[in-house]
PDB file of all heavy atoms in Angstrom:
ATOM      1  N   ASN Y 269       2.016 -25.138 -44.729  1.00 96.00           N
ATOM      2  CA  ASN Y 269       0.609 -25.469 -44.833  1.00 96.00           C
ATOM      3  C   ASN Y 269       0.057 -25.136 -46.212  1.00 96.00           C
ATOM      4  O   ASN Y 269      -1.159 -24.999 -46.370  1.00 96.00           O
ATOM      5  CB  ASN Y 269      -0.210 -24.826 -43.728  1.00 96.00           C
ATOM      6  CG  ASN Y 269      -0.154 -23.307 -43.770  1.00 96.00           C
ATOM      7  OD1 ASN Y 269       0.554 -22.707 -44.609  1.00 96.00           O
ATOM      8  ND2 ASN Y 269      -0.887 -22.658 -42.865  1.00 96.00           N
ATOM      9  N   THR Y 270       0.939 -24.975 -47.168  1.00 97.00           N
ATOM     10  CA  THR Y 270       0.512 -24.745 -48.554  1.00 97.00           C
ATOM     11  C   THR Y 270       0.211 -26.049 -49.228  1.00 97.00           C
ATOM     12  O   THR Y 270       0.559 -27.125 -48.758  1.00 97.00           O
ATOM     13  CB  THR Y 270       1.624 -24.045 -49.334  1.00 97.00           C
ATOM     14  OG1 THR Y 270       2.819 -24.820 -49.237  1.00 97.00           O
ATOM     15  CG2 THR Y 270       1.860 -22.677 -48.827  1.00 97.00           C
ATOM     16  N   ASP Y 271      -0.441 -25.997 -50.370  1.00 98.00           N
ATOM     17  CA  ASP Y 271      -0.668 -27.193 -51.230  1.00 98.00           C
ATOM     18  C   ASP Y 271       0.680 -27.441 -51.928  1.00 98.00           C
ATOM     19  O   ASP Y 271       1.136 -26.625 -52.738  1.00 98.00           O
ATOM     20  CB  ASP Y 271      -1.767 -26.886 -52.237  1.00 98.00           C
ATOM     21  CG  ASP Y 271      -2.040 -28.088 -53.147  1.00 98.00           C
ATOM     22  OD1 ASP Y 271      -1.349 -29.135 -53.014  1.00 98.00           O
ATOM     23  OD2 ASP Y 271      -2.927 -27.972 -54.009  1.00 98.00           O
ATOM     24  N   THR Y 272       1.304 -28.578 -51.633  1.00 98.00           N
ATOM     25  CA  THR Y 272       2.623 -28.859 -52.219  1.00 98.00           C
ATOM     26  C   THR Y 272       2.582 -28.923 -53.719  1.00 98.00           C
ATOM     27  O   THR Y 272       3.590 -28.684 -54.379  1.00 98.00           O
ATOM     28  CB  THR Y 272       3.178 -30.152 -51.633  1.00 98.00           C
ATOM     29  OG1 THR Y 272       3.100 -30.093 -50.205  1.00 98.00           O
ATOM     30  CG2 THR Y 272       4.610 -30.390 -52.023  1.00 98.00           C
ATOM     31  N   ALA Y 273       1.421 -29.212 -54.295  1.00 98.00           N
ATOM     32  CA  ALA Y 273       1.288 -29.237 -55.761  1.00 98.00           C
ATOM     33  C   ALA Y 273       1.506 -27.852 -56.344  1.00 98.00           C
ATOM     34  O   ALA Y 273       1.823 -27.705 -57.531  1.00 98.00           O
ATOM     35  CB  ALA Y 273      -0.081 -29.790 -56.158  1.00 98.00           C
ATOM     36  N   ASP Y 274       1.325 -26.808 -55.529  1.00 98.00           N
ATOM     37  CA  ASP Y 274       1.627 -25.446 -55.960  1.00 98.00           C
ATOM     38  C   ASP Y 274       3.069 -25.167 -55.585  1.00 98.00           C
ATOM     39  O   ASP Y 274       3.417 -24.718 -54.467  1.00 98.00           O
ATOM     40  CB  ASP Y 274       0.684 -24.463 -55.254  1.00 98.00           C
ATOM     41  CG  ASP Y 274       0.811 -23.052 -55.743  1.00 98.00           C
ATOM     42  OD1 ASP Y 274       1.881 -22.691 -56.351  1.00 98.00           O
ATOM     43  OD2 ASP Y 274      -0.108 -22.239 -55.565  1.00 98.00           O
ATOM     44  N   ALA Y 275       3.972 -25.426 -56.498  1.00 98.00           N
ATOM     45  CA  ALA Y 275       5.402 -25.368 -56.242  1.00 98.00           C
ATOM     46  C   ALA Y 275       5.860 -23.947 -55.806  1.00 98.00           C
ATOM     47  O   ALA Y 275       6.653 -23.804 -54.867  1.00 98.00           O
ATOM     48  CB  ALA Y 275       6.195 -25.822 -57.463  1.00 98.00           C
ATOM     49  N   ARG Y 276       5.359 -22.934 -56.467  1.00 98.00           N
ATOM     50  CA  ARG Y 276       5.837 -21.575 -56.179  1.00 98.00           C
ATOM     51  C   ARG Y 276       5.327 -21.109 -54.791  1.00 98.00           C
ATOM     52  O   ARG Y 276       6.093 -20.506 -54.037  1.00 98.00           O
ATOM     53  CB  ARG Y 276       5.366 -20.606 -57.252  1.00 98.00           C
ATOM     54  CG  ARG Y 276       6.056 -20.881 -58.593  1.00 98.00           C
ATOM     55  CD  ARG Y 276       5.896 -19.774 -59.598  1.00 98.00           C
ATOM     56  NE  ARG Y 276       6.616 -20.065 -60.824  1.00 98.00           N
ATOM     57  CZ  ARG Y 276       7.921 -19.904 -61.017  1.00 98.00           C
ATOM     58  NH1 ARG Y 276       8.637 -19.387 -60.016  1.00 98.00           N
ATOM     59  NH2 ARG Y 276       8.502 -20.199 -62.159  1.00 98.00           N
ATOM     60  N   ALA Y 277       4.075 -21.400 -54.482  1.00 98.00           N
ATOM     61  CA  ALA Y 277       3.587 -20.993 -53.143  1.00 98.00           C
ATOM     62  C   ALA Y 277       4.292 -21.729 -52.062  1.00 98.00           C
ATOM     63  O   ALA Y 277       4.654 -21.166 -51.016  1.00 98.00           O
ATOM     64  CB  ALA Y 277       2.067 -21.281 -53.060  1.00 98.00           C
ATOM     65  N   THR Y 278       4.565 -23.015 -52.284  1.00 98.00           N
ATOM     66  CA  THR Y 278       5.280 -23.823 -51.274  1.00 98.00           C
ATOM     67  C   THR Y 278       6.688 -23.348 -51.113  1.00 98.00           C
ATOM     68  O   THR Y 278       7.202 -23.189 -49.976  1.00 98.00           O
ATOM     69  CB  THR Y 278       5.206 -25.310 -51.623  1.00 98.00           C
ATOM     70  OG1 THR Y 278       3.832 -25.706 -51.694  1.00 98.00           O
ATOM     71  CG2 THR Y 278       5.900 -26.145 -50.553  1.00 98.00           C
ATOM     72  N   ALA Y 279       7.399 -23.117 -52.209  1.00 98.00           N
ATOM     73  CA  ALA Y 279       8.773 -22.621 -52.115  1.00 98.00           C
ATOM     74  C   ALA Y 279       8.808 -21.287 -51.417  1.00 98.00           C
ATOM     75  O   ALA Y 279       9.717 -21.016 -50.639  1.00 98.00           O
ATOM     76  CB  ALA Y 279       9.377 -22.519 -53.554  1.00 98.00           C
ATOM     77  N   ALA Y 280       7.835 -20.429 -51.669  1.00 98.00           N
ATOM     78  CA  ALA Y 280       7.808 -19.116 -51.025  1.00 98.00           C
ATOM     79  C   ALA Y 280       7.638 -19.262 -49.504  1.00 98.00           C
ATOM     80  O   ALA Y 280       8.296 -18.511 -48.759  1.00 98.00           O
ATOM     81  CB  ALA Y 280       6.686 -18.252 -51.613  1.00 98.00           C
ATOM     82  N   GLN Y 281       6.772 -20.170 -49.094  1.00 98.00           N
ATOM     83  CA  GLN Y 281       6.594 -20.313 -47.637  1.00 98.00           C
ATOM     84  C   GLN Y 281       7.821 -21.014 -47.017  1.00 98.00           C
ATOM     85  O   GLN Y 281       8.223 -20.665 -45.873  1.00 98.00           O
ATOM     86  CB  GLN Y 281       5.339 -21.148 -47.352  1.00 98.00           C
ATOM     87  CG  GLN Y 281       4.972 -21.117 -45.885  1.00 98.00           C
ATOM     88  CD  GLN Y 281       3.665 -21.761 -45.576  1.00 98.00           C
ATOM     89  OE1 GLN Y 281       3.591 -22.988 -45.501  1.00 98.00           O
ATOM     90  NE2 GLN Y 281       2.621 -20.968 -45.376  1.00 98.00           N
TER      91      GLN Y 281
END
Side-chain angles (χ1 to χ4, degrees):
N269 61 357
T270 54
D271 180 359
T272 308
D274 187 339
R276 293 194 178 279
T278 301
Q281 191 174 79

